[in-house]
Amino acid sequence: HLVAFGDSLTRGLGDLSGKGYIGRVKDALQTQTKKPVVFTNIAVSGQTSAQLDDLLNESEVQGLIKQATLIVFTIGGNDLFGSTNQLDNLSPSTIDAAGQSYKTHLTSIVAKIRAANGTCPVYLVAIYNPFYTVLDPQLQADKYVNQFNQTMLALTGQTAQFYVVPVYDLFQRGGDKFLSSDHFHPSDAGYQRIADRVLQDLDLINN
């Protein structure tokens, strides 16, 4: 039973096929394990860590987590970049406030997942920099993305069976090839790269 939640990346926004990375992961699990996969995706585009933290209090969501044998999710991109694909909000003061809030809510999210299901492997897909191709000497997006990813690693590192899937490097090269028409969310090819990395971390592929 694969349960997915989080933001627009897990929703698959920007993927013309509608599958996103998680649909591709589900298909690969179905094919490679030759076992039926029950798949539930409750991701919400635009969701922040605070909103996910609240969602995990709902009894139906707690029930899904209890039934899960694999959980994959994304959260943090909207905390960092806001709900739009603009650079205007990337200032040290706003990032510091967003980072502190993210630490608080991610700590709570990890605890709630583990309280509901103490053994299921959980994979948190990290954040990439969608503005990598933007030529702006003042842009600090790389630094901020790395800060959030380091927070993920620090807050999950002491929790058994809880893993962070790095995807930052997947979007460093290739220009807009791996981004959709909004130049923010992944394209079909970008989602495939994320899916391959998740599957690699699940030891289902070796590349």
Side-chain angles (χ1 to χ4, degrees):
H1 189 169
L2 169 60
V3 174
F5 46 79
D7 52 33
S8 57
L9 291 186
T10 301
R11 191 75 260 161
L13 192 65
D15 187 342
L16 297 178
S17 74
K19 289 185 176 182
Y21 80 87
I22 197 63
R24 289 170 164 81
V25 168
K26 186 267 293 183
D27 289 348
L29 287 171
Q30 186 90 53
T31 299
Q32 296 181 37
T33 63
K34 294 181 172 59
K35 296 179 181 179
V37 175
V38 178
F39 176 46
T40 307
N41 186 356
I42 57 171
V44 179
S45 294
Q47 190 167 72
T48 64
S49 62
Q51 292 168 332
L52 178 58
D53 196 2
D54 286 341
L55 182 67
L56 294 184
N57 292 325
E58 296 184 8
S59 58
E60 289 185 6
V61 176
Q62 288 284 311
L64 285 173
I65 293 173
K66 288 177 182 178
Q67 297 169 18
T69 55
L70 174 63
I71 294 172
V72 184
F73 73 108
T74 53
I75 203 68
N78 292 309
D79 294 72
L80 174 56
F81 296 120
S83 59
T84 65
N85 59 348
Q86 303 299 313
L87 299 176
D88 298 342
N89 62 337
L90 295 183
S91 67
S93 59
T94 56
I95 295 301
D96 182 64
Q100 291 302 317
S101 175
Y102 184 64
K103 287 180 182 179
T104 298
H105 291 294
L106 184 59
T107 299
S108 178
I109 288 166
V110 172
K112 288 174 181 177
I113 292 172
R114 271 293 164 253
N117 189 323
T119 59
C120 169
V122 182
Y123 290 81
L124 169 58
V125 178
I127 303 173
Y128 63 91
N129 179 9
F131 306 119
Y132 190 79
T133 60
V134 177
L135 298 178
D136 182 353
Q138 303 304 316
L139 182 61
Q140 298 293 311
D142 259 7
K143 181 177 78 172
Y144 300 143
V145 167
N146 285 328
Q147 286 177 358
F148 269 65
N149 287 338
Q150 287 301 314
T151 295
M152 292 183 193
L153 289 167
L155 294 181
T156 62
Q158 301 303 312
T159 305
Q161 293 274 73
F162 216 112
Y163 310 100
V164 174
V165 181
V167 296
Y168 171 86
D169 60 303
L170 301 180
F171 295 85
Q172 283 184 290
R173 298 179 181 177
D176 289 341
K177 175 181 178 182
F178 301 119
L179 296 177
S180 65
S181 59
D182 67 6
H183 305 288
F184 188 77
H185 294 92
S187 63
D188 296 33
Y191 277 116
Q192 184 64 59
R193 287 169 73 82
I194 296 175
D196 287 346
R197 180 60 59 79
V198 173
L199 291 166
Q200 183 178 354
D201 279 19
L202 288 169
D203 293 327
L204 290 179
I205 63 175
N206 297 313
N207 60 329

